[in-house]
Amino acid sequence: EQQLGEGSAEAAKLRSATERLERCSERRRLLLQDKEQLLRRRGELDREAATCQSRLDGTMPGPQRQALAEVRKWAAAQGVQGEVLGTLLEVMVVPPDYAIAVEAAAGSALFNLLVKDDTIAGRIISLVRKGSLGSIVCTPLNRIAVRQRQYPQMSGVKPLVDVVAAPEWAKPAVHQVFGKIVVCSSLELCDEVSRRHGLDAITLDGDKVSGRGVLSGGYQDPTRFVRVGLADKLRRAREALRQDVAPRLAEAEARAR
């Protein structure tokens, strides 16, 4: 009887150990499953970001694209990334309904490179010129004086500076490009605002009336205006990688060890 009792106790211990091992194995299996899902998600976001960046680069003139790429490599090598702050397009956020108007109004100024001051701007211009690296426009933030403007308080009229969101430090650059432009609900209203207030005006479809009364517009192919949308998708993919997937993946790897 004593041997039988001892055998039963050993069997119970063995069952308990087996159950603990099975639970550990199941937890590890689930952790590895989560890790695999996160790795797949990271791959999807990496591919989405790369596709958006490639398409965005394709909308730039070759010399501008080349110069920006070379300046970014130079900034990383020199350790001055904190003084080279990105293009205007990269730092601003635009509601989808206003994307065409903003892109049509800004044109190539979307790719102006924002930099800390005129010292770093001078170094960049010298680099591009001496190396025949293309063409670039730098915006030294210390040189921008924001002009306070009075905008018309009219129904259907909105200043573009109230539409384009950006970090506080980048707002002077937003005012420099968009400060004299309002978006209007109709071309007729654009004409009225430009004549009465001397402002450039634009419709949501991209038709423009300059402060001098010059009208430009007509049919605008919506597929031409992809820069703001691509920049937004690129930003969201990178934010998802940085703020969601990367921390969760690091946690999963730590727990799996």
Side-chain angles (χ1 to χ4, degrees), residues 208-220:
K208 293 178 279 188
V209 179
S210 77
R212 297 184 301 276
V214 178
L215 170 65
S216 59
Y219 173 72
Q220 303 277 10

Side-chain angles (χ1 to χ4, degrees), residues 15-32:
R15 283 196 302 274
S16 178
T18 301
E19 288 170 359
R20 286 198 301 272
L21 182 61
E22 288 175 348
R23 287 196 296 270
C24 288
S25 296
E26 178 63 10
R27 282 198 297 270
R28 181 170 178 79
R29 185 188 69 79
L30 291 173
L31 284 170
L32 290 174

Side-chain angles (χ1 to χ4, degrees), residues 213-257:
V214 178
L215 170 65
S216 59
Y219 173 72
Q220 303 277 10
D221 182 357
T223 62
R224 288 181 52 231
F225 298 99
V226 297
R227 291 168 170 171
V228 170
L230 286 171
D232 183 59
K233 288 179 66 176
L234 177 59
R235 184 183 303 106
R236 285 188 280 112
R238 287 175 172 169
E239 285 177 354
L241 280 167
R242 184 176 62 255
Q243 299 176 7
D244 180 36
V245 174
R248 288 173 60 197
L249 188 55
E251 180 184 357
E253 288 174 339
R255 291 172 62 191
R257 285 198 291 268

